[in-house]
Amino acid sequence: MAGRGTGPDFVEALARGLDVLACFHADQRRMSLTDVATAAALARPTARRLLLTLEELGFVRSANGMFELTPKVLTLGTAYVSALGLWEIARPHLEDLVAQTRESSSMAQLDGSDIIYVARVSVPKLIALRVDIGTRFPAVQTSQGKVLLAALPADELEHCLAQPSRSGLPPYIGRSPEQLRDELTEVRARGWAVADEELAPGVRSVAVPVRDGTGVVRAAMNVTVHAAETSRERLLGEHLPLLLRTAGDVSAEWALWQSRPHVEIAGSGDSTATV
């Protein structure tokens, strides 16, 4: 938790505040002061001051001695996604893909050794796996994670895999490091990845890369199915071609969006302008 920094400019108070925000998750939406102090490895007085500060800023609210996050925390992540322009471009394409496949589709980006969901269009399915915007999973257990890992240079890949997952899930032992690297080499060559009940029983998915205007892989898009309903053969034979076409359309439109001429004219009281 806090105290990880070693640089002279590291702000420990900020790190502790972020640790407090990170304590909350889908299975722990409401927490007491003691819960937060324990989860963030902080003294109770410190945890209390941080929670009250976050409450005053609007990121946390409290009732009957319990604390929970407010929707304002979404601004911390969606500001990044909105700056990319990716969600606005991807949404209609994801909706069309889901309408064709009748299966859920998501987009994710890499954060350390995890993926974080940044966009999702879902359909009701009896899959014991809750996914929301901001959900974090170990990259090696997901089709999207494999696509994103396969796109990394060798040195970045090693650094990424050396980091512990912050998803809260136990380490995956379904394959050796050598088998993982062989699989990522294959994913890189063919341009798509499959995760077959590696993340949770009954969950099968295929993912492909989404690229920016320079051709760099910035995100991954998937189709997720229930393994008992959709075979691997159908997933790859019917859904994968639609997914590849959709990701290609999103990448092409994103490249155009990034190349757009854009000027912000400063207001009368502002002497700066952004080009």
Side-chain angles (χ1 to χ4, degrees):
M1 287 295 185
R4 296 178 297 270
T6 58
D9 298 319
F10 182 79
V11 181
E12 187 172 335
L14 175 59
R16 288 176 171 174
L18 294 174
D19 285 340
V20 167
L21 291 177
C23 289
F24 297 88
H25 51 80
D27 297 324
Q28 197 80 35
R29 295 180 181 274
R30 303 180 74 243
M31 303 176 71
S32 67
L33 171 59
T34 299
D35 292 335
V36 172
T38 300
L42 296 170
R44 278 174 55 90
T46 301
R48 178 179 178 275
R49 289 195 301 272
L50 290 169
L51 283 167
L52 293 178
T53 299
L54 290 168
E55 184 173 21
E56 188 170 342
L57 292 173
F59 293 106
V60 170
R61 58 177 165 237
S62 63
N64 301 319
M66 301 295 288
F67 295 87
E68 63 182 351
L69 300 182
T70 73
K72 188 176 180 180
V73 299
L74 293 174
T75 62
L76 299 176
T78 56
Y80 173 63
V81 178
S82 297
L84 295 175
L86 186 53
W87 168 234
E88 291 87 347
I89 293 169
R91 179 171 56 187
H93 293 285
L94 283 174
E95 292 172 347
D96 288 345
L97 177 64
V98 170
Q100 294 177 74
T101 63
R102 298 184 181 181
E103 303 288 356
S104 298
S105 181
S106 305
M107 292 184 64
Q109 294 180 301
L110 197 62
D111 181 31
S113 60
D114 296 329
I115 62 165
I116 294 181
Y117 283 76
V118 297
R120 180 167 173 82
V121 177
S122 61
V123 295
K125 287 285 181 177
L126 295 177
I127 297 179
L129 184 67
R130 183 184 180 91
V131 177
D132 296 305
I133 303 304
T135 294
R136 178 185 294 269
F137 289 131
V140 298
Q141 293 174 242
T142 68
S143 58
Q144 295 182 92
K146 293 176 188 178
V147 165
L148 294 168
L149 291 172
L152 295 177
D155 56 341
E156 290 186 29
L157 175 61
E158 294 302 320
H159 176 72
C160 181
L161 294 177
Q163 300 181 49
S165 170
R166 290 183 285 159
S167 66
L169 296 179
Y172 183 62
I173 55 175
R175 66 174 74 82
S176 68
E178 293 74 19
Q179 290 173 321
L180 174 60
R181 286 167 177 78
D182 288 344
E183 182 177 4
L184 294 180
T185 298
E186 186 176 352
V187 168
R188 189 180 304 112
R190 71 189 180 194
W192 51 268
V194 172
D196 201 345
E197 299 189 86
E198 297 170 39
L199 184 61
V203 178
R204 176 177 291 149
S205 68
V206 62
V208 300
V210 176
R211 303 176 186 274
D212 65 12
T214 66
V216 175
V217 176
R218 296 294 188 184
M221 179 185 296
N222 78 347
V223 171
T224 302
V225 301
H226 195 300
E229 297 178 353
T230 305
S231 67
R232 183 185 177 104
E233 290 71 26
R234 184 184 175 198
L235 178 66
L236 299 182
E238 296 181 17
H239 297 334
L240 176 58
L242 296 173
L243 178 62
L244 285 166
R245 187 178 308 121
T246 301
D249 291 342
V250 171
S251 296
E253 288 190 19
W254 194 20
L256 289 173
W257 185 89
Q258 289 178 314
S259 65
R260 78 202 190 289
H262 180 208
V263 177
E264 291 184 3
I265 304 300
S268 58
D270 190 347
S271 60
T272 62
T274 301
V275 179

